[in-house]
Amino acid sequence: HAKEHGVEFSRYTAAMKMRTQSRVELENDMRKGLEREEFFLEFQPQIGLDTGKMLGMEALVRWNHPKRGLLPPSEFIPLAEDSGLIVPLGEWVLKTACQYNKKWQDEGYDPVCVSVNLSMRQFRQYNLTERIDSILQEVGLDPRYLELEVTESMTYDIDTALEQLYRLKKLGIHISIDDFGTGYSSLYYLKSLPIDRLKIDRSFVKEVMCDGNDAAIVSTITTMAHHLKLKVTAEGVENQEQLEFLKLQNCHEGQGYLFSKPVPASEFESKFLSRKAG
Ligand code: C2E
Ligand code: CA
Ligand code: CA
Ligand code: CA
């Protein structure tokens, strides 16, 4: 038995070691990848449900890894968060998203807001507001065309969250709560947070036509958002039936494969940006 355990143990440590090795490797790759410009953004339109017009866009990061190929955020964001690399990566995303938005405005397209995901690690930085302010100044983007998406996990430390959100709001940018309904924020917090929008998590939207509980949740979040004078966006809208349901609830905006999956900047520009007629 002792021997068996020994074998098990060494197998276990070997697997652990491998995992640690590939983690460290991926971390180093990420560091280099940032310098070598292997990361890029895709954009997904946010559509006004009553008009069908594009009202905003979300920037989503991708990694073109030299050996592993195209990696989705799920393959590297968690690691970036653990290692702290999310801070430089997140700042690159912020700056790049702002640069695209500014460039498109300069080219005469109708201005829209760009939404950028902010990880908790970034949110907790004491000088976050100053960093964002200096990015906006450097790029020359009007703050009202930037929206930050934070998650309910910020309410873990409500005093810090409130202070941070007030500072960010003073810059003139917008703030939304992403994946709303999946976290622990209480209604008490919701009442006091200076936010502009709730994004209903796509897990609720997914089953809205076949699960009465999900339908009730989506409908309730939407109504609550109206009463709290918050905008509301449904994530993961994939079909016409979901769209009809959301319209009936007077949900303002939707994002999802029904309208478009996230696409690279050039494709986004040609498909979704428009100039005022005349
Ligand atoms: P998220 O912020 O909730 O972003 C929406 C995700 O849902 C995106 O996945 C998008 O491609 C996907 N999606 C959009 N419409 C649909 C739909 O109709 N059906 C389904 N099934 N999925 C849809 P993506 O791009 O793989 O990103 C996953 C997550 O990674 C994001 O979730 C966000 O939490 C994180 N992420 C992405 N980019 C960044 C970033 O720049 N910084 C940080 N901190 N996190 C990011
Ligand atoms: Ca998001
Ligand atoms: Ca989301
Ligand atoms: Ca998310």
Side-chain angles (χ1 to χ4, degrees):
H1 276 108
K3 192 171 173 233
E4 259 170 51
H5 275 113
V7 170
E8 272 308 302
F9 183 73
S10 61
R11 237 191 248 140
Y12 177 67
T13 45
M16 289 268 289
K17 210 169 145 194
M18 259 230 324
R19 222 176 300 152
T20 317
Q21 253 171 16
S22 69
R23 267 177 82 96
V24 171
E25 214 175 283
L26 203 60
E27 243 177 76
N28 288 330
D29 286 358
M30 216 182 291
R31 221 167 260 126
K32 282 185 226 142
L34 264 170
E35 287 164 20
R36 296 180 187 163
E37 298 179 24
E38 292 165 6
F39 293 91
F40 66 99
L41 297 183
E42 287 193 330
F43 295 89
Q44 189 178 34
Q46 299 167 328
I47 306 291
L49 297 186
D50 47 351
T51 59
K53 256 190 68 178
M54 184 181 73
L55 301 178
M57 55 200 175
E58 178 171 2
L60 296 150
V61 70
R62 275 89 182 88
W63 184 6
N64 213 336
H65 190 284
K67 290 204 202 84
R68 299 184 197 210
L70 187 60
L71 298 180
S74 57
E75 303 258 327
F76 60 90
I77 291 282
L79 192 66
E81 269 165 357
D82 289 350
S83 63
L85 279 170
I86 192 69
V87 173
L89 178 64
E91 239 163 78
W92 179 87
V93 170
L94 252 167
K95 188 170 171 187
T96 309
C98 290
Q99 280 170 335
Y100 274 115
N101 206 14
K102 170 70 175 157
K103 174 176 159 282
W104 285 329
Q105 290 181 12
D106 287 349
E107 288 170 2
Y109 292 111
D110 292 348
V112 285
C113 195
V114 66
S115 298
V116 175
N117 293 287
L118 199 72
S119 94
M120 265 313 104
R121 198 99 177 211
Q122 288 175 278
F123 185 73
R124 286 207 206 93
Q125 282 181 294
Y126 73 98
N127 61 348
L128 178 69
T129 309
E130 289 75 15
R131 299 176 88 105
I132 293 179
D133 190 29
S134 77
I135 288 174
L136 286 166
Q137 302 240 8
E138 194 186 329
V139 173
L141 183 72
D142 186 325
R144 69 168 183 269
Y145 297 115
L146 174 64
E147 183 158 311
L148 294 179
E149 300 195 354
V150 293
T151 60
E152 289 167 88
S153 45
M154 69 178 163
T155 59
Y156 168 72
D157 178 357
I158 191 67
D159 294 326
T160 311
L162 269 170
E163 201 181 316
Q164 196 73 299
L165 289 175
Y166 275 108
R167 273 198 229 125
L168 289 168
K169 282 297 293 176
K170 255 179 90 180
L171 278 184
I173 65 179
H174 301 277
I175 295 173
S176 61
I177 300 191
D178 204 357
D179 308 336
F180 186 75
T182 59
Y184 303 98
S185 69
S186 73
L187 299 179
Y188 173 77
Y189 293 158
L190 204 57
K191 174 188 98 165
S192 41
L193 294 172
I195 51 164
D196 303 281
R197 180 193 304 275
L198 302 179
K199 293 188 77 177
I200 305 176
D201 190 69
R202 87 176 122 88
S203 60
F204 301 117
V205 176
K206 192 167 190 260
E207 308 272 283
V208 91
M209 296 317 292
C210 49
D211 185 326
N213 289 338
D214 285 333
I217 288 169
V218 169
S219 155
T220 303
I221 295 176
T222 307
T223 307
M224 183 175 70
H226 288 315
H227 287 309
L228 293 172
K229 305 218 161 48
L230 301 174
K231 289 189 218 158
V232 60
T233 300
E235 299 189 310
V237 184
E238 293 185 353
N239 59 51
Q240 199 64 36
E241 292 73 38
Q242 294 166 336
L243 174 63
E244 294 310 323
F245 176 86
L246 293 164
K247 277 187 180 170
L248 273 178
Q249 307 300 321
N250 290 315
C251 180
H252 307 113
E253 285 178 43
Q255 196 180 331
Y257 296 167
L258 176 65
F259 309 110
S260 171
K261 63 183 185 17
V263 295
S266 56
E267 187 178 341
F268 187 84
E269 179 177 340
S270 61
K271 275 195 183 153
F272 296 104
L273 295 179
S274 59
R275 294 184 169 95
K276 267 187 205 72

